[in-house]
């Protein structure tokens, strides 16, 4: 039973890692629509909604546990992380809603003609810039996990692969 639980935990950690990597790459691409083009910016942003839902579902146990214990005994870093995650959720929601409201490619292609409004564009730009700041803090708070997981699931397997190949070459 313990072995099954640890395999499940490893699998979930790997899933979290790859979802987070995809979200990070997607965020980098969408952060500058002038580089990627407006169509890629809008469609990739819309697809990131799904990635964010998966991210929330993979972390749901932590969210539920911290929510339950928030007013009770809870470490300072968990409390800060929880508040930061809510700020990211609220800001991400503002980015998505304002982005949909100013869409020039995706929404019209799906048959939605939305009224243009400069307030939506300002809200979108402002919330995207706030997200950059919040994600920087979020990354800093999770830096040890990022480095350890990167090492465990990417660096170590590559090193093992090359060391096994080298041993095979020597034995020939």
């Amino acid at each position: 039973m313990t072995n099954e639980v640890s395999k499940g935990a490893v699998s979930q950690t790997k899933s979290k890692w790859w979802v987070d990597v995809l979200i990070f790459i997607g965020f980098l691409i969408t952060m500058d629509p002038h580089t990627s083009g407006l169509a890629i910016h809008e469609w990739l942003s819309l697809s990131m909604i799904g990635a964010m839902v998966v991210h929330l579902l993979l972390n749901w146990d932590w969210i539920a546990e911290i929510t339950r214990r928030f007013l009770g005994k809870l470490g300072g870093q968990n409390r800060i992380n929880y508040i930061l995650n809510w700020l990211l959720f609220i800001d991400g929601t503002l980015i998505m809603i304002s982005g949909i409201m100013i869409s020039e490619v995706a929404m019209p292609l799906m048959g939605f003609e939305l009224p243009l409004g400069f307030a939506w564009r300002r809200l979108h730009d402002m919330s995207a810039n706030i997200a950059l700041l919040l994600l920087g803090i979020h990354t800093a708070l999770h830096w040890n996990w990022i480095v350890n997981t990167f090492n465990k699931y990417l660096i170590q397997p590559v090193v093992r692969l090359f060391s096994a190949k080298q041993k095979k070459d020597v034995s020939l």
Side-chain angles (χ1 to χ4, degrees), residues 31-47:
M31 197 58 196
D32 187 16
H34 300 293
T35 302
S36 64
L38 193 56
I40 290 172
H41 172 79
E42 289 187 18
W43 287 108
L44 185 56
S45 295
L46 287 171
S47 70

Side-chain angles (χ1 to χ4, degrees), residues 146-162:
I146 293 167
V147 170
N148 291 336
T149 306
F150 181 82
N151 186 39
K152 186 173 184 176
Y153 296 117
L154 200 62
I155 300 297
Q156 288 178 3
V158 169
V159 168
R160 281 193 299 272
L161 178 70
F162 283 109

Side-chain angles (χ1 to χ4, degrees), residues 5 28 68 70 74 77 84 93 101 116 129 138 150 153 156 165 169:
V5 171
L28 289 179
R68 190 179 61 74
F70 188 77
L74 186 64
Q77 186 164 348
L84 178 64
T93 302
M101 294 304 293
L116 295 177
N129 289 330
H138 184 75
F150 181 82
Y153 296 117
Q156 288 178 3
K165 185 177 190 265
D169 291 343

Side-chain angles (χ1 to χ4, degrees), residues 6-25:
S6 67
K7 283 183 182 179
V10 166
S11 177
Q12 188 173 25
T13 301
K14 279 185 183 179
S15 298
K16 287 179 185 181
W17 166 251
W18 286 111
V19 167
D20 290 353
V21 166
L22 290 174
I23 290 170
F24 178 72
I25 291 168

Side-chain angles (χ1 to χ4, degrees), residues 27-139:
F27 181 77
L28 289 179
I29 294 169
T30 59
M31 197 58 196
D32 187 16
H34 300 293
T35 302
S36 64
L38 193 56
I40 290 172
H41 172 79
E42 289 187 18
W43 287 108
L44 185 56
S45 295
L46 287 171
S47 70
M48 286 179 60
I49 294 171
M52 292 305 302
V53 168
V54 170
H55 176 83
L56 291 172
L57 291 173
L58 286 171
N59 290 287
W60 194 254
D61 291 341
W62 181 87
I63 295 166
E65 181 64 21
I66 299 301
T67 300
R68 190 179 61 74
R69 294 181 17 208
F70 188 77
L71 296 176
K73 290 186 177 182
L74 186 64
Q77 186 164 348
N78 279 329
R79 194 177 308 275
I80 290 168
N81 204 4
Y82 184 81
I83 293 168
L84 178 64
N85 286 331
W86 269 106
L87 291 173
L88 276 166
F89 179 78
I90 292 165
D91 190 57
T93 302
L94 289 173
I95 291 170
M96 290 298 172
I97 291 170
S98 61
I100 288 168
M101 294 304 293
I102 63 173
S103 173
E104 296 176 23
V105 177
M107 292 296 112
L109 192 63
M110 290 190 283
F112 297 102
E113 291 295 327
L114 301 169
L116 295 177
F118 291 104
W120 287 114
R121 182 162 306 283
R122 282 193 299 270
L123 178 62
H124 188 69
D125 292 343
M126 182 180 66
S127 55
N129 289 330
I130 290 170
L132 189 59
L133 174 68
L134 293 174
L135 284 170
I137 296 168
H138 184 75
T139 301

